[in-house]
Amino acid sequence: MSTQPILLITRKLSKNTEIRAAETYDVRLNPEDKLYTPDELLQKCQDVDAVLPCHSELFSADMVAMLPERLKIIANHSVGLDHCDLAALKEKGIVVTNTPEVLSDATAEISMLLMLGAARRASEGDQLVRSGKWEHWSPSFMVGTQVTGKKLGIVGMGRVGQIMSKRARGFDMEVHYHNRTRLSSELEDGAIFHEDLDSLLSVSQFLSLHCPATPETTGFFNQEKIALLPDGAVFVNTSRGALVDEEALINALKSGKISAAGLDVYLSEPGGNPALASLDNVFMLPHIGSATFETRDAMGFRALDNLDAYFAGKEPNDRVA
Ligand code: DGY
């Protein structure tokens, strides 16, 4: 009989991650990559020592209450933790870790892609050529908003926000940011701090969200906040859909208050919002901010590093509960 800890891996991870996991753990894999229902997830958690889930698995307080005593650690394959009721997990004595840092470059790449794609009407252009309906060209055809030299507002200047700021400077953008605490001048690297979110919004010709979804930030990007943006601002979100009042965003996209949006995340996932999908001025991706080969390995390895530390009796580096 194996003496290795039993590890449930809830989704299909990178091959390298699954190979490495199998060297140390008695792994329960999900080769079909089936999204477990809450009941299936609960049932699969019953006879394991550890779980390596993604943000697609919800560990609500109700679910946590039914987890077995045997389950000691949830080593997330995500930086976001809004799918975990951390207070309930902590109370139950289950260790929780996440995977910060390793996905920041990949996510900032997608933020840049969305910013450029939204401003320069990439999805409309792609659709037109693809559909065979591209019949004319003129100087007034598919004119978009120039990115170079504009003011970019960043909400949440953590690791992804800082890399986004650096990349945006490559486009000569003037970067402004709002964060709970001001960064050192070295980390700010020329970005202009706004202690007040409203002040940041009022200058943001482009606005990109990089803060986590918490009870304090949920739904903060609403009609009132949108009204503070310069007319015709471009909005980008690679963080979490829960930050946004989607109805208010749709109204602003229809009125032109927001000229275009680039979105990777939605209130309802998978699937997204059909009302957003019906708008030409939205460039949309299906939550793929961290989806690069390099980053998938790095996320998997980081989660395994946390598990290895825990089972070696050490404090996992990325412990959050
Ligand atoms: C994260 O790590 O939070 C990303 O959204 C992918 O799960």
Side-chain angles (χ1 to χ4, degrees):
M1 212 177 92
S2 164
T3 54
Q4 294 171 319
I6 299 181
L7 170 63
L8 171 69
I9 297 183
T10 61
R11 305 301 302 268
K12 188 170 165 57
L13 301 183
S14 79
K15 201 171 159 205
N16 291 329
T17 304
E18 293 190 351
I19 289 170
R20 184 182 139 182
E23 285 163 7
T24 317
Y25 302 96
D26 181 353
V27 283
R28 308 264 165 92
L29 298 175
N30 179 0
E32 309 294 323
D33 201 25
K34 183 180 187 302
L35 179 64
Y36 298 138
T37 63
D39 283 348
E40 286 168 334
L41 179 62
L42 186 59
Q43 190 237 315
K44 289 191 180 289
C45 286
Q46 290 309 313
D47 57 351
V48 301
D49 303 297
V51 183
L52 199 165
C54 296
H55 78 267
S56 47
E57 281 71 57
L58 187 65
F59 287 94
S60 62
D62 287 349
M63 166 73 94
V64 173
M66 291 184 280
L67 292 175
E69 291 302 314
R70 174 176 182 167
L71 176 52
K72 296 289 182 255
I73 173 165
I74 294 183
N76 285 293
H77 183 279
S78 72
V79 66
L81 290 159
D82 44 309
H83 59 291
C84 289
D85 190 319
L86 292 182
L89 284 158
K90 195 171 175 186
E91 181 157 349
K92 182 113 183 168
I94 296 178
V95 171
V96 183
T97 61
N98 69 343
T99 58
E101 290 154 15
V102 289
L103 42 70
S104 308
D105 280 309
T107 307
E109 281 179 9
I110 287 287
S111 308
M112 288 299 293
L113 173 65
L114 288 171
M115 180 169 72
L116 293 165
R120 300 302 302 274
R121 306 174 61 175
S123 67
E124 276 176 90
D126 180 81
Q127 272 300 320
L128 196 68
V129 182
R130 207 178 279 279
S131 66
K133 291 185 185 149
W134 178 31
E135 282 158 0
H136 82 293
W137 185 93
S138 102
S140 57
F141 169 66
M142 278 210 54
V143 178
T145 304
Q146 188 145 318
V147 172
T148 304
K150 295 283 169 59
K151 290 189 172 76
L152 167 66
I154 293 180
V155 181
M157 198 62 148
R159 298 171 190 94
V160 183
Q162 287 169 40
I163 297 174
M164 176 70 175
S165 165
K166 202 168 168 184
R167 304 287 177 260
R169 279 200 298 279
F171 280 79
D172 295 332
M173 297 188 91
E174 181 179 293
V175 180
H176 295 246
Y177 75 99
H178 170 74
N179 200 44
R180 268 176 310 182
T181 49
R182 184 171 183 169
L183 303 186
S184 66
S185 64
E186 194 192 338
L187 289 179
E188 260 182 3
D189 204 10
I192 299 157
F193 177 61
H194 294 248
E195 195 172 344
D196 179 32
L197 173 64
D198 292 0
S199 151
L200 175 84
L201 296 174
S202 70
V203 299
S204 298
Q205 294 168 302
F206 286 75
L207 184 78
S208 191
L209 303 189
H210 297 285
C211 53
T214 63
E216 294 75 46
T217 59
T218 295
F220 90 90
F221 192 66
N222 56 18
Q223 191 184 348
E224 188 196 318
K225 296 295 179 205
I226 290 172
L228 299 173
L229 292 169
D231 290 346
V234 174
F235 174 67
V236 174
N237 189 8
T238 52
S239 188
R240 284 291 186 266
L243 300 171
V244 176
D245 174 342
E246 285 185 349
E247 205 179 314
L249 175 62
I250 290 164
N251 290 338
L253 283 160
K254 283 184 176 162
S255 72
K257 173 69 190 174
I258 292 182
S259 62
L263 306 174
D264 188 44
V265 289
Y266 310 87
L267 265 177
S268 171
E269 294 184 15
N273 183 334
L276 276 169
S278 71
L279 302 176
D280 284 341
N281 52 348
V282 189
F283 179 37
M284 292 188 292
L285 295 173
H287 201 144
I288 55 166
S290 56
T292 67
F293 296 113
E294 295 83 351
T295 296
R296 287 289 178 251
D297 278 351
M299 290 172 79
F301 285 6
R302 187 88 173 214
L304 289 174
D305 289 346
N306 286 319
L307 283 170
D308 293 351
Y310 175 81
F311 285 107
K314 298 183 194 143
E315 181 72 0
N317 266 341
D318 305 312
R319 183 168 180 174
V320 291

